[in-house]
Amino acid sequence: MSSEPTSTVRLSVNGVDRTVDVPDRQLLSDALRHTLGLTGTHVGCEHGVCGACTVQLDGRPVRSCLMFAASAEGHEITTVEGLGNGPDDPGPVQQAFIDCHGLQCGFCTPGFVTTIDAYVRENPDPSEEEAREAISGNLCRCTGYQNIVRSVCRAAELVPEREEDA
């Protein structure tokens, strides 16, 4: 009986250096959820289409269901858990979703939050059309997107406020 090959991988996740043993073919989404217990990263389609598994890799949104965990070695990974300080101190994008009622069931929300966080840092004053384009790679079955678009614009307002407070 042969066992699946594994690798020891050093990851920086949400600012914390971690060393994990993972099967060579384990996806980053599975390593985050099952190995590291960061269940905020959701897995929807498992084909990179829905965006629920989106995390940031070196500040850029990526689909964690399309990437092997071992290939993330040496990179900074930020999940939705790394974008705020818990329920009493949400990050700017999380606060924008609260302010604008940008979620319903919440399944797609972590992917939207990580996508929007990266977007508004590079685009501090998006129009509604630009906000709609920014989220076009993430699918939601519940909201109709109106309040998510509002959340993008609100997040752009909140990010400079949060950075001034830091």
Side-chain angles (χ1 to χ4, degrees):
M1 181 174 4
S2 66
S3 63
E4 186 172 359
T6 62
S7 294
T8 300
V9 180
R10 289 176 299 284
L11 304 172
S12 178
V13 182
N14 300 328
V16 177
D17 291 331
R18 308 285 298 266
T19 302
V20 294
D21 290 319
V22 295
D24 288 348
R25 297 184 307 147
Q26 186 175 48
L27 298 173
L28 179 58
S29 56
D30 292 331
L32 293 169
R33 290 183 58 77
H34 304 296
T35 305
L36 297 176
L38 297 169
T39 58
T41 300
H42 293 164
V43 178
C45 67
E46 299 185 67
H47 296 285
V49 175
C50 74
C53 70
T54 304
V55 299
Q56 293 177 12
L57 184 77
D58 300 329
R60 311 284 304 167
V62 298
R63 304 294 203 241
S64 63
C65 77
L66 296 179
M67 181 177 187
F68 291 122
S71 65
E73 181 160 13
H75 295 279
E76 174 61 40
I77 301 160
T78 305
T79 69
V80 69
E81 291 95 340
L83 295 177
N85 297 312
D88 295 330
D89 188 18
V93 179
Q94 294 160 327
Q95 186 63 54
F97 266 72
I98 294 165
D99 293 351
C100 298
H101 308 288
L103 63 103
Q104 284 185 17
C105 83
F107 188 81
C108 64
T109 305
F112 274 104
V113 168
T114 54
T115 298
I116 294 166
D117 178 77
Y119 175 74
V120 298
R121 291 181 190 287
E122 292 185 15
N123 302 280
D125 188 25
S127 67
E128 282 196 18
E129 183 177 314
E130 291 167 331
R132 199 171 293 284
E133 176 67 25
I135 62 169
S136 65
N138 293 69
L139 301 178
C140 175
R141 297 176 139 196
C142 303
T143 65
Y145 298 97
Q146 295 299 336
N147 290 345
I148 298 174
V149 170
R150 287 185 192 104
S151 297
V152 175
C153 295
R154 176 69 177 137
E157 295 170 358
L158 292 175
V159 166
E161 291 175 13
R162 180 61 79 104
E163 289 174 351
E164 288 173 9
D165 293 342

